[in-house]
Amino acid sequence: MIYVDRPAWPARGRLWSHLISDVSLTELHAFAEALGAPRRGFDRDHYDIPAERFAPAVWLGANVVPSRELVRLLRDSGLRRPKHLTRPTR
């Protein structure tokens, strides 16, 4: 299943949402492609999507959840990839 939180994260003069899957990254990438989200919006385990893509994401079937719930779902799915585990070592 695909989940999205409400646009609340400011960056580069815009508000952003996070888009995740609790099933697989393959499902997430397929949904993001259908949404028209560029692959560069993918960050380890989620997509950052601008506020103007929020309504289309919901229309395509993403479930709206609070940010804390989104993180819990991602962690429980086993797909969470924290930054400290994905950074190259020095």
Side-chain angles (χ1 to χ4, degrees), residues 30-49:
F31 189 92
E33 185 175 333
L35 181 61
R39 190 66 172 242
R40 69 180 177 271
F42 181 68
D43 185 16
R44 297 180 325 275
D45 53 19
H46 69 278
Y47 275 84
D48 294 320
I49 60 168

Side-chain angles (χ1 to χ4, degrees), residues 2-90:
I2 299 292
Y3 298 91
V4 65
D5 59 2
R6 295 196 179 278
W9 306 96
R12 293 181 237 115
R14 306 161 96 171
L15 289 179
W16 297 78
S17 292
H18 301 104
L19 185 73
I20 69 152
S21 168
D22 66 349
V23 174
S24 70
L25 294 179
T26 300
E27 178 189 49
L28 178 60
H29 291 309
F31 189 92
E33 185 175 333
L35 181 61
R39 190 66 172 242
R40 69 180 177 271
F42 181 68
D43 185 16
R44 297 180 325 275
D45 53 19
H46 69 278
Y47 275 84
D48 294 320
I49 60 168
E52 58 268 17
R53 291 195 194 268
F54 176 78
V58 173
W59 185 84
L60 285 172
N63 297 288
V64 181
V65 295
S67 298
R68 285 180 187 249
E69 178 69 4
L70 190 117
V71 172
R72 186 194 66 74
L73 288 162
L74 191 55
R75 194 177 310 120
D76 289 353
S77 73
L79 296 173
R80 182 71 175 138
R81 297 191 56 180
K83 280 186 182 179
H84 74 279
L85 297 178
T86 56
R87 278 192 238 151
T89 56
R90 294 180 190 170

